[in-house]
């Protein structure tokens, strides 16, 4: 245990973000000099709040099985090298999760039963940022090669985790990515102000030094067909994510200026990194409406603010969530409570319990407004409230309503793999699809989920691929394909 009285002496503290008026003028992370460095003055006593519980439910909250009490204790004792060793034992990419994960471990923290939980996510990102600065993160190439080859399709967190595990196990691994650069949504879906791409690039450099081969700009399912891929490699891991975006087929959907978030955000990311983007979708001087109240919607919000939008309205069909944990979502479940991201601090209006009825256009065929109405639950169904229709201006509408599974045309159809009832690639208890030697990890099999689940599935799938190729494995498998977060 770190400090036996730490949780009695210290309250929960988090790092101070840069002033709003300063950070909205650039694309840098919202913390001064990065969150890891911003946390250093406060992180030791925060780690000391961990009680090292007899049954640490934070383990249950995190699908990676992070050994949280141990690295909290090591941080409190100023043993940063020991802390990163324990953190890396279960998590390949804590610099990603420490910035992007909503921290279900914290809502499962035992201290959170009657106090503010430990700032687990902040301790995590402090450890990895300190480790990079101190030279504790080094390549771990395999001691021997198995002679087996593996193709990983998709370079998001699931694909990268599977690739790193399999490379370290001695297999020759190639990661395929259809975009021009490796990283998947980590590269082009996550704005710079949430995670600067230097954190991704230095991890990719480590993986290259370990022996992983990256092949960007290759659309697997096009010239490189699924059959060719299976013939070329001893095993294939499908980790291409759930990229089929949910649409809103209402009147006026065909108007110009209505886009999916994943059309808007990648272009903005490229532009923020200094790339030239022809025909870029811009929010400048426009009334922007974002349909969807989750993380992707918040990313669109922060991006639109930095592009100089005139006004921004974020719509959510569900009611306004409560400020504190509702009785129907008791500890240690992850509660649906009201959360304010850094982007929400910066501006925009959030409107709850509304449904979009139609879009209105101008003479040029572009959207000029949308009509919405309030909704409420009646007999368990969302029902429109009569007399609540209203019109709000919009010259740019962004859909951030989630995803429906992997794209079916191309690779999935070519491989002939079976799908589940939700349109995801079906897999057995060993992460193997209906086609022998083809495994599935991350959102492509689970459906849209959290980054910690993606990394956990990548690690688990790698263990089964290793066993498939060699007959045995020493790689960990933290989750089963059927595992789900604890719910009531």
């Amino acid at each position: 245990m770190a400090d036996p009285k730490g949780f009695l002496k210290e309250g929960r503290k988090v790092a101070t973000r840069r002033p709003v008026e300063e950070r909205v003028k650039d694309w840098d992370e919202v913390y001064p000099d990065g969150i890891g460095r911003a946390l250093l003055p406060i992180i030791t006593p925060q780690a000391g709040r961990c009680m090292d519980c007899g049954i640490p439910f934070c383990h249950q909250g995190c699908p990676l099985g992070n050994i949280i009490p141990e690295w909290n204790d090591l941080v409190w004792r100023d043993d940063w090298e020991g802390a990163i060793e324990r953190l890396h034992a279960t998590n390949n990419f804590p610099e990603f999760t420490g910035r992007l994960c909503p921290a279900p471990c914290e809502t499962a923290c035992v201290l959170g039963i009657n106090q503010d939980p430990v700032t687990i996510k902040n301790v995590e990102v402090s450890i990895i940022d300190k480790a990079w600065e101190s030279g504790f993160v080094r390549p771990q190439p395999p001691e021997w090669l198995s002679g087996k080859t593996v193709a990983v399709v998709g370079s998001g967190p699931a694909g990268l985790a599977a690739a790193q595990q399999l490379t370290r196990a001695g297999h020759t691994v190639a990661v395929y990515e259809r975009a021009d650069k490796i990283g998947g949504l980590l590269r082009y879906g996550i704005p710079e102000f949430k995670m600067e791409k230097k954190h991704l690039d230095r991890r990719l450099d480590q993986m290259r030094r370990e022996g992983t081969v990256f092949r960007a700009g290759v659309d697997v399912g096009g010239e490189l067909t699924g059959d060719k891929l299976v013939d070329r490699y001893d095993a294939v891991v499908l980790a291409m994510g759930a990229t089929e975006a949910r649409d809103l087929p209402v009147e006026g959907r065909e108007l110009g200026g209505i886009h999916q978030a994943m059309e808007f955000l990648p272009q903005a990311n490229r532009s923020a990194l200094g790339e030239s983007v022809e025909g870029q979708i811009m929010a400048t001087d426009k009334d922007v409406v974002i349909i969807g109240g989750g993380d992707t919607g918040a990313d669109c919000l922060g991006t639109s603010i930095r592009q100089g939008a005139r006004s921004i309205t974020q719509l959510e069909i569900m009611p306004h969530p409560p400020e504190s944990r509702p009785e129907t979502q008791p500890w240690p479940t992850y509660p649906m409570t009201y959360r304010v991201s850094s982007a929400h601090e910066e501006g925009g209006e959030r409107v709850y319990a509304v449904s979009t009825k139609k879009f209105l256009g101008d003479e040029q065929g572009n959207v000029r407004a949308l009509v919405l109405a309030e909704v409420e639950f009646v007999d368990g169904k969302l029902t429109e409230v009569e007399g609540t229709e209203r019109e709000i201006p919009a010259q740019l509408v962004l859909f951030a309503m989630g995803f429906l599974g992997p794209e079916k045309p191309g690779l999935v159809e070519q491989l002939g793999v079976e799908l589940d009832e939700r349109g995801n690639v079906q897999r057995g208890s060993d992460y193997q699809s209906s086609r022998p030697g083809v495994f599935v990890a991350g959102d492509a099999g689970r459906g849209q989920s959290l980054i910690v689940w993606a990394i956990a599935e990548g690690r688990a799938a790698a263990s089964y691929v290793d066993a498939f190729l060699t007959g045995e494995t020493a790689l960990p498998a933290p989750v089963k394909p059927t595992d789900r977060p604890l719910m009531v």
Side-chain angles (χ1 to χ4, degrees):
M1 187 173 185
D3 185 348
K5 298 183 179 180
F7 68 97
L8 298 174
K9 297 187 299 184
E10 294 286 340
R12 179 183 170 100
K13 293 180 183 178
V14 296
T16 302
R17 295 167 176 151
R18 293 190 290 142
V20 169
E21 60 272 15
E22 172 190 318
R23 69 190 196 227
V24 297
K25 296 177 182 178
D26 59 48
W27 294 91
D28 299 339
E29 285 190 13
V30 299
Y31 295 92
D33 299 319
I35 185 172
R37 188 168 293 178
L39 284 164
L40 286 179
I42 63 171
I43 206 62
T44 297
Q46 288 303 299
R49 296 182 70 234
C50 178
M51 302 184 294
D52 192 11
C53 312
I55 301 177
F57 273 79
C58 54
H59 290 192
Q60 174 276 328
C62 178
L64 283 165
N66 284 335
I67 315 167
I68 294 163
E70 291 191 18
W71 39 260
N72 276 329
D73 177 71
L74 291 164
V75 167
W76 186 73
R77 298 178 190 281
D78 205 31
D79 184 357
W80 293 90
E81 188 167 12
I84 190 56
E85 186 276 328
R86 300 312 296 143
L87 180 51
H88 268 155
T90 56
N91 187 352
N92 297 69
F93 314 121
E95 64 269 45
F96 305 161
T97 53
R99 287 173 167 83
L100 307 176
C101 179
C105 54
E106 293 188 15
T107 58
C109 174
V110 174
L111 185 58
I113 294 175
N114 59 1
Q115 293 188 38
D116 290 329
V118 176
T119 55
I120 298 169
K121 177 178 171 180
N122 282 354
V123 178
E124 176 184 35
V125 77
S126 298
I127 293 170
I128 183 59
D129 282 10
K130 179 80 168 180
W132 279 111
E133 286 188 8
S134 304
F136 298 150
V137 184
R138 309 175 185 92
Q140 299 178 37
E143 296 181 359
W144 56 276
L145 295 178
S146 68
K148 301 292 185 178
T149 58
V150 183
V152 176
V153 182
S155 63
L160 293 179
Q164 187 167 61
Q165 293 293 95
L166 289 166
T167 296
R168 290 175 174 177
H171 307 302
T172 301
V173 181
V175 178
Y176 287 87
E177 169 59 54
R178 66 181 173 183
D180 60 335
K181 292 182 180 178
I182 297 295
L185 290 184
L186 294 170
R187 171 77 60 187
Y188 289 129
I190 302 298
E192 282 284 285
F193 57 81
K194 282 182 68 175
M195 188 184 78
E196 295 177 12
K197 300 307 172 281
K198 65 183 181 183
H199 303 295
L200 172 62
D201 289 335
R202 64 186 178 187
R203 183 61 76 173
L204 295 177
D205 182 63
Q206 180 206 32
M207 292 180 66
R208 288 189 183 96
R209 292 170 182 268
E210 292 172 349
T212 301
V213 176
F214 294 109
R215 293 177 178 160
V218 179
D219 186 9
V220 180
E223 183 177 347
L224 178 57
T225 65
D227 288 335
K228 288 181 180 178
L229 194 72
V230 171
D231 290 342
R232 185 178 298 180
Y233 292 90
D234 296 311
V236 173
V237 178
L238 303 181
M240 60 278 196
T243 54
E244 185 180 324
R246 190 185 304 276
D247 209 274
L248 186 61
V250 299
E251 182 182 341
R253 171 64 180 88
E254 74 285 352
L255 292 168
I258 302 175
H259 302 275
Q260 291 287 351
M262 284 305 138
E263 297 175 80
F264 174 68
L265 290 173
Q267 291 184 353
N269 275 349
R270 290 178 181 275
S271 178
L273 293 169
E275 297 182 29
S276 176
V277 179
E278 186 176 350
Q280 182 180 354
I281 303 165
M282 293 292 292
T284 311
D285 297 326
K286 294 178 181 176
D287 299 301
V288 179
V289 174
I290 302 164
I291 302 179
D295 288 341
T296 302
D299 294 344
C300 290
L301 171 62
T303 300
S304 297
I305 289 171
R306 284 159 178 76
Q307 289 185 354
R310 179 166 50 232
S311 71
I312 308 171
T313 306
Q314 188 174 5
L315 307 181
E316 170 58 62
I317 197 169
M318 299 300 290
H320 192 296
E323 297 283 345
S324 58
R325 182 189 289 275
E327 292 183 1
T328 55
Q329 299 169 33
W331 176 90
T333 63
Y334 186 80
M336 302 307 295
T337 56
Y338 182 68
R339 294 178 171 87
V340 178
S341 72
S342 64
H344 292 129
E345 293 175 346
E346 297 165 358
E349 180 185 4
R350 303 167 81 175
V351 181
Y352 291 90
V354 292
S355 176
T356 302
K357 297 195 67 177
K358 61 182 177 180
F359 301 105
L360 305 176
D362 60 19
E363 295 179 354
Q364 288 73 44
N366 296 314
V367 66
R368 66 169 179 82
L370 61 78
V371 177
L372 54 79
E374 295 178 13
V375 294
E376 63 181 358
F377 277 104
V378 178
D379 297 328
K381 295 182 179 180
L382 282 171
T383 306
E384 181 181 331
V385 179
E386 290 188 16
T388 60
E389 274 194 23
R390 66 181 186 272
E391 181 181 314
I392 61 174
Q395 297 84 51
L396 176 61
V397 177
L398 301 171
F399 293 163
M401 301 179 294
F403 301 89
L404 299 173
E407 296 172 21
K408 311 309 183 292
L411 180 60
V412 171
E413 291 182 350
Q414 290 170 8
L415 291 173
V417 291
E418 294 180 6
L419 305 177
D420 64 19
E421 66 278 1
R422 300 180 64 188
N424 303 312
V425 181
Q426 195 170 60
R427 62 264 179 96
S429 59
D430 60 353
Y431 285 87
Q432 195 165 190
S433 72
S434 58
R435 182 156 181 172
V438 177
F439 296 77
V440 190
D443 290 2
R446 173 172 291 272
Q448 181 183 348
S449 189
L450 304 179
I451 185 171
V452 280
W453 281 98
I455 296 173
E457 284 216 353
R459 289 171 63 87
S463 72
Y464 287 102
V465 174
D466 187 37
F468 172 80
L469 294 173
T470 65
E472 59 183 5
T473 186
L475 296 178
V479 292
K480 300 175 182 177
T482 53
D483 285 346
R484 293 294 182 269
L486 180 63
M487 299 181 68
V488 175

Short mmCIF file of all heavy atoms in Angstrom, two decimals, residues 56 61 70 76 97 109 122 155 195 197 216 222 230 240 248 252 266 290 298-299 309 350 363 395 426 471 479 484:
data_model
loop_
_atom_site.label_atom_id
_atom_site.label_comp_id
_atom_site.label_asym_id
_atom_site.label_seq_id
_atom_site.Cartn_x
_atom_site.Cartn_y
_atom_site.Cartn_z
N PRO A 56 -9.42 -5.31 -5.41
CA PRO A 56 -9.38 -4.04 -6.16
C PRO A 56 -10.33 -4.07 -7.35
O PRO A 56 -10.02 -4.63 -8.40
CB PRO A 56 -7.91 -3.95 -6.60
CG PRO A 56 -7.44 -5.37 -6.65
CD PRO A 56 -8.22 -6.14 -5.64
N GLY A 61 -13.04 -3.02 -13.54
CA GLY A 61 -13.47 -1.95 -14.43
C GLY A 61 -12.64 -1.86 -15.70
O GLY A 61 -13.12 -1.40 -16.73
N GLU A 70 -0.49 -1.63 -7.73
CA GLU A 70 0.98 -1.80 -7.71
C GLU A 70 1.66 -0.58 -8.31
O GLU A 70 2.65 -0.08 -7.75
CB GLU A 70 1.37 -3.07 -8.46
CG GLU A 70 0.94 -4.34 -7.74
CD GLU A 70 1.56 -5.58 -8.35
OE1 GLU A 70 2.56 -5.46 -9.09
OE2 GLU A 70 1.03 -6.69 -8.09
N TRP A 76 4.13 6.47 -5.84
CA TRP A 76 4.22 7.13 -4.54
C TRP A 76 5.63 6.98 -3.94
O TRP A 76 6.12 7.88 -3.26
CB TRP A 76 3.17 6.52 -3.60
CG TRP A 76 3.08 7.21 -2.27
CD1 TRP A 76 2.54 8.43 -2.00
CD2 TRP A 76 3.58 6.71 -1.03
NE1 TRP A 76 2.64 8.73 -0.67
CE2 TRP A 76 3.28 7.69 -0.04
CE3 TRP A 76 4.22 5.54 -0.63
CZ2 TRP A 76 3.62 7.52 1.29
CZ3 TRP A 76 4.55 5.37 0.70
CH2 TRP A 76 4.25 6.35 1.65
N THR A 97 -4.31 5.30 -23.88
CA THR A 97 -5.42 5.15 -22.93
C THR A 97 -5.41 6.26 -21.89
O THR A 97 -6.46 6.73 -21.45
CB THR A 97 -5.36 3.78 -22.23
OG1 THR A 97 -4.07 3.60 -21.65
CG2 THR A 97 -5.62 2.66 -23.22
N CYS A 109 -13.47 2.17 -8.79
CA CYS A 109 -12.57 2.34 -7.64
C CYS A 109 -13.36 2.23 -6.34
O CYS A 109 -14.41 2.85 -6.17
CB CYS A 109 -11.89 3.70 -7.74
SG CYS A 109 -10.87 4.16 -6.31
N ASN A 122 -4.86 9.63 -14.65
CA ASN A 122 -3.79 10.62 -14.59
C ASN A 122 -2.48 10.01 -14.12
O ASN A 122 -1.41 10.38 -14.60
CB ASN A 122 -4.20 11.77 -13.65
CG ASN A 122 -5.18 12.74 -14.30
OD1 ASN A 122 -5.48 12.62 -15.49
ND2 ASN A 122 -5.69 13.67 -13.53
N SER A 155 -4.71 -0.47 -38.51
CA SER A 155 -3.63 -0.03 -37.63
C SER A 155 -4.14 0.84 -36.49
O SER A 155 -3.43 1.73 -36.01
CB SER A 155 -2.57 0.73 -38.43
OG SER A 155 -3.10 1.92 -39.00
N MET A 195 -4.78 14.39 -28.38
CA MET A 195 -3.55 13.62 -28.37
C MET A 195 -2.69 14.03 -29.56
O MET A 195 -3.05 13.77 -30.71
CB MET A 195 -3.81 12.10 -28.44
CG MET A 195 -2.54 11.28 -28.24
SD MET A 195 -2.76 9.50 -28.42
CE MET A 195 -2.81 9.34 -30.21
N LYS A 197 0.13 13.82 -32.25
CA LYS A 197 0.54 12.62 -32.98
C LYS A 197 1.98 12.21 -32.70
O LYS A 197 2.38 11.11 -33.08
CB LYS A 197 0.31 12.81 -34.48
CG LYS A 197 -1.16 13.08 -34.82
CD LYS A 197 -2.09 12.01 -34.23
CE LYS A 197 -3.55 12.36 -34.39
NZ LYS A 197 -4.05 13.34 -33.41
N ALA A 216 1.36 1.16 -45.28
CA ALA A 216 0.27 2.12 -45.40
C ALA A 216 -0.10 2.31 -46.86
O ALA A 216 0.65 1.97 -47.78
CB ALA A 216 0.68 3.45 -44.77
N GLY A 222 -9.07 -4.54 -52.19
CA GLY A 222 -9.01 -3.99 -53.54
C GLY A 222 -8.08 -4.84 -54.38
O GLY A 222 -8.33 -6.01 -54.63
N VAL A 230 -4.82 -14.29 -47.52
CA VAL A 230 -4.82 -15.57 -46.80
C VAL A 230 -3.77 -16.51 -47.37
O VAL A 230 -3.10 -17.25 -46.62
CB VAL A 230 -6.23 -16.20 -46.86
CG1 VAL A 230 -6.21 -17.62 -46.32
CG2 VAL A 230 -7.22 -15.36 -46.06
N MET A 240 -9.96 -3.96 -38.55
CA MET A 240 -10.23 -2.75 -39.33
C MET A 240 -11.30 -1.86 -38.73
O MET A 240 -11.70 -0.87 -39.33
CB MET A 240 -10.60 -3.10 -40.78
CG MET A 240 -11.81 -3.96 -40.95
SD MET A 240 -11.44 -5.70 -40.71
CE MET A 240 -12.89 -6.45 -41.45
N LEU A 248 -28.73 9.30 -40.91
CA LEU A 248 -30.01 9.85 -40.48
C LEU A 248 -30.86 10.11 -41.72
O LEU A 248 -30.82 11.20 -42.29
CB LEU A 248 -29.81 11.14 -39.68
CG LEU A 248 -31.04 11.76 -39.03
CD1 LEU A 248 -31.66 10.80 -38.03
CD2 LEU A 248 -30.68 13.07 -38.34
N GLY A 252 -34.43 15.95 -46.63
CA GLY A 252 -33.37 16.93 -46.80
C GLY A 252 -31.97 16.39 -46.59
O GLY A 252 -31.00 17.14 -46.67
N PRO A 266 -10.97 13.76 -40.10
CA PRO A 266 -9.68 13.46 -40.73
C PRO A 266 -9.12 14.61 -41.55
O PRO A 266 -7.91 14.87 -41.53
CB PRO A 266 -10.02 12.26 -41.63
CG PRO A 266 -11.18 11.60 -40.96
CD PRO A 266 -11.99 12.74 -40.43
N ILE A 290 -24.10 19.66 -34.50
CA ILE A 290 -23.51 18.33 -34.33
C ILE A 290 -24.59 17.42 -33.76
O ILE A 290 -25.14 17.70 -32.69
CB ILE A 290 -22.29 18.37 -33.39
CG1 ILE A 290 -21.24 19.35 -33.91
CG2 ILE A 290 -21.70 16.98 -33.20
CD1 ILE A 290 -20.21 19.76 -32.88
N ALA A 298 -17.93 15.64 -29.31
CA ALA A 298 -17.08 16.62 -28.62
C ALA A 298 -15.84 16.95 -29.46
O ALA A 298 -15.38 18.09 -29.47
CB ALA A 298 -16.67 16.07 -27.26
N ASP A 299 -15.31 15.95 -30.17
CA ASP A 299 -14.17 16.21 -31.06
C ASP A 299 -14.57 17.16 -32.18
O ASP A 299 -13.80 18.06 -32.55
CB ASP A 299 -13.66 14.90 -31.65
CG ASP A 299 -13.05 13.98 -30.61
OD1 ASP A 299 -12.76 14.44 -29.50
OD2 ASP A 299 -12.87 12.78 -30.90
N ALA A 309 -16.08 28.69 -36.02
CA ALA A 309 -17.52 28.61 -36.27
C ALA A 309 -18.25 29.79 -35.63
O ALA A 309 -17.83 30.30 -34.58
CB ALA A 309 -18.07 27.30 -35.73
N ARG A 350 -25.25 22.64 -25.65
CA ARG A 350 -25.67 21.24 -25.66
C ARG A 350 -27.18 21.19 -25.42
O ARG A 350 -27.68 21.73 -24.43
CB ARG A 350 -24.93 20.46 -24.57
CG ARG A 350 -23.43 20.51 -24.71
CD ARG A 350 -22.69 20.02 -23.47
NE ARG A 350 -22.62 18.58 -23.41
CZ ARG A 350 -21.92 17.93 -22.46
NH1 ARG A 350 -21.29 18.61 -21.49
NH2 ARG A 350 -21.86 16.60 -22.46
N GLU A 363 -31.45 28.06 -51.93
CA GLU A 363 -31.64 27.99 -53.37
C GLU A 363 -30.50 27.27 -54.08
O GLU A 363 -30.66 26.79 -55.20
CB GLU A 363 -31.80 29.40 -53.94
CG GLU A 363 -33.06 30.11 -53.46
CD GLU A 363 -33.17 31.52 -54.01
OE1 GLU A 363 -32.21 31.97 -54.67
OE2 GLU A 363 -34.22 32.17 -53.78
N GLN A 395 -25.50 25.78 -41.40
CA GLN A 395 -24.88 25.69 -42.72
C GLN A 395 -23.89 24.52 -42.78
O GLN A 395 -23.37 24.19 -43.84
CB GLN A 395 -24.15 26.99 -43.07
CG GLN A 395 -25.06 28.21 -43.18
CD GLN A 395 -25.32 28.84 -41.82
OE1 GLN A 395 -24.38 29.13 -41.07
NE2 GLN A 395 -26.58 29.07 -41.50
N GLN A 426 -18.33 -12.46 -36.98
CA GLN A 426 -18.51 -13.45 -35.91
C GLN A 426 -17.21 -14.17 -35.64
O GLN A 426 -16.45 -14.49 -36.56
CB GLN A 426 -19.59 -14.44 -36.33
CG GLN A 426 -20.13 -15.29 -35.20
CD GLN A 426 -21.36 -16.08 -35.65
OE1 GLN A 426 -21.28 -16.87 -36.58
NE2 GLN A 426 -22.49 -15.84 -35.01
N GLY A 471 1.18 -24.03 -31.57
CA GLY A 471 0.66 -25.09 -30.71
C GLY A 471 0.62 -24.75 -29.25
O GLY A 471 0.05 -25.49 -28.44
N VAL A 479 -9.12 -10.77 -22.10
CA VAL A 479 -10.58 -10.83 -22.24
C VAL A 479 -10.98 -11.90 -23.24
O VAL A 479 -10.22 -12.27 -24.13
CB VAL A 479 -11.17 -9.46 -22.71
CG1 VAL A 479 -11.02 -8.42 -21.64
CG2 VAL A 479 -10.53 -9.02 -24.02
N ARG A 484 -18.21 -8.58 -21.55
CA ARG A 484 -18.84 -7.28 -21.67
C ARG A 484 -18.67 -6.52 -20.35
O ARG A 484 -18.47 -7.12 -19.30
CB ARG A 484 -20.33 -7.42 -21.99
CG ARG A 484 -20.64 -8.01 -23.37
CD ARG A 484 -20.20 -7.07 -24.48
NE ARG A 484 -20.53 -7.57 -25.80
CZ ARG A 484 -19.73 -8.32 -26.54
NH1 ARG A 484 -18.55 -8.72 -26.07
NH2 ARG A 484 -20.10 -8.72 -27.75
#
